[in-house]
Amino acid sequence: MSESILGKHIMLVEDDESLAEWFGDYLRDQGYLVTLATRGDVAIELIESDQPDLVILDIMLPVKDGFEVCQAIRPFYQGPVLMMTARDHETDEVLGLELGADDYVVKPVKPRVLLSRIKALFRRAAVSETQVEEADPNKIIFGQLSIDANSRTTMLGGDKVAISSNEFDVLWQLAQSADSLVSRQDLVTQRRGIDYDGFDRSIDILVSRIRKKLGDDASNPYRIKTVWGKGYLFVKDAWD
């Protein structure tokens, strides 16, 4: 068993108790610590108090659905969120990603497939941490915007901005190349280690979320500009 797995805490939020127990038992056999929640409102409280290493979040939940849970936890939870649903709708996937999810799987999903997605999210988080350790320890500061790679925090106008790990990675990469074009290819390769196939919308969704959180104009962005067909341009003089 990999030492990196030991002690990893997964919060599984699923209202089908038999399915939750089945997945929970499987993940425990793989060496993970697993806790269960069957209601959205309860899940929010548990995630805030326990701060698990990863959340598997079903969409169809009582009291508060998975979209509401995802939106509610992002101000205080920065770990990976893997959304899981029986509805194979592209709009669900896009909405989940826009609200802060890091990945999305459709049920029925085989346990090994779920495990592979979990491992991929943990690998991505580990790579991000390694990159931070090797990066320049100094902050990037443009006007009222401050990005600290050591603590992985972002401040705007003196207020802390709650952004996910994936959002931070994209923002950091753009800020490091301020006033220079960063292609979608470069962003996808840096984030996933794979070539851009022209259809991956995850980067566009992440940039849209970053803009919203940093007060950029969604209809006419001036801080993180889109260069159509090419990529993005982080404007360093737009943060005063």
Side-chain angles (χ1 to χ4, degrees):
M1 185 182 300
S2 170
E3 291 184 359
S4 63
I5 291 177
L6 293 175
K8 291 290 187 183
H9 178 196
I10 296 175
M11 176 77 70
L12 177 57
V13 187
E14 167 64 65
D15 65 328
D16 184 332
E17 294 188 26
S18 61
L19 181 62
E21 290 292 345
W22 184 50
F23 276 131
D25 289 342
Y26 175 79
L27 293 174
R28 291 185 189 100
D29 288 343
Q30 303 303 312
Y32 295 102
L33 169 65
V34 181
T35 54
L36 306 177
T38 58
R39 287 176 26 175
D41 56 334
V42 174
I44 293 171
E45 296 176 0
L46 290 175
I47 292 167
E48 183 171 17
S49 62
D50 295 355
Q51 291 294 313
D53 296 296
L54 182 143
V55 173
I56 301 174
L57 181 60
D58 187 34
I59 289 181
M60 303 300 291
L61 296 169
V63 186
K64 288 184 179 294
D65 65 26
F67 296 129
E68 294 174 297
V69 173
C70 190
Q71 185 175 33
I73 66 175
R74 270 319 185 192
F76 57 77
Y77 178 70
Q78 307 305 318
V81 175
L82 173 60
M83 297 201 83
M84 185 166 60
T85 180
R87 303 192 307 187
D88 187 10
H89 294 166
E90 182 181 359
T91 53
D92 284 353
E93 180 177 0
V94 170
L95 179 56
L97 293 171
E98 287 178 341
L99 291 174
D102 298 284
D103 202 355
Y104 186 100
V105 293
V106 177
K107 295 188 293 187
V109 56
K110 295 180 179 179
R112 288 185 179 180
V113 173
L114 182 64
L115 180 63
S116 69
R117 295 294 188 92
I118 292 169
K119 289 182 175 180
L121 288 171
F122 278 138
R123 283 196 301 270
R124 192 184 305 167
V127 168
S128 297
E129 291 173 2
T130 301
Q131 290 171 344
V132 169
E133 291 173 359
E134 294 175 352
D136 187 333
N138 294 329
K139 295 179 180 179
I140 294 178
I141 300 176
F142 298 120
Q144 298 186 58
L145 178 68
S146 173
I147 310 170
D148 189 336
N150 292 318
S151 61
R152 294 180 67 80
T153 56
T154 302
M155 306 287 291
L156 182 61
D159 296 323
K160 185 176 180 180
V161 181
I163 65 174
S164 70
S165 177
N166 283 338
E167 291 165 357
F168 183 90
D169 292 340
V170 172
L171 176 61
W172 179 254
Q173 188 176 354
L174 290 171
Q176 282 185 309
S177 301
D179 287 342
S180 298
L181 175 68
V182 180
S183 69
R184 286 184 176 85
Q185 169 74 54
D186 290 340
L187 289 168
V188 171
T189 301
Q190 179 76 10
R191 179 169 171 259
R192 293 187 172 179
I194 60 175
D195 290 335
Y196 177 59
D197 61 8
F199 298 98
D200 191 326
R201 296 188 58 196
S202 62
I203 291 297
D204 298 327
I205 292 170
L206 284 171
V207 171
S208 177
R209 280 162 32 189
I210 293 168
R211 283 173 173 155
K212 182 178 180 180
K213 293 180 179 181
L214 295 182
D216 207 354
D217 186 345
S219 59
N220 186 28
Y222 64 97
R223 288 177 162 172
I224 303 176
K225 295 184 177 180
T226 298
V227 181
W228 295 108
K230 295 183 178 180
Y232 294 99
L233 180 69
F234 182 100
V235 182
K236 67 179 181 181
D237 293 330
W239 303 94
D240 295 329

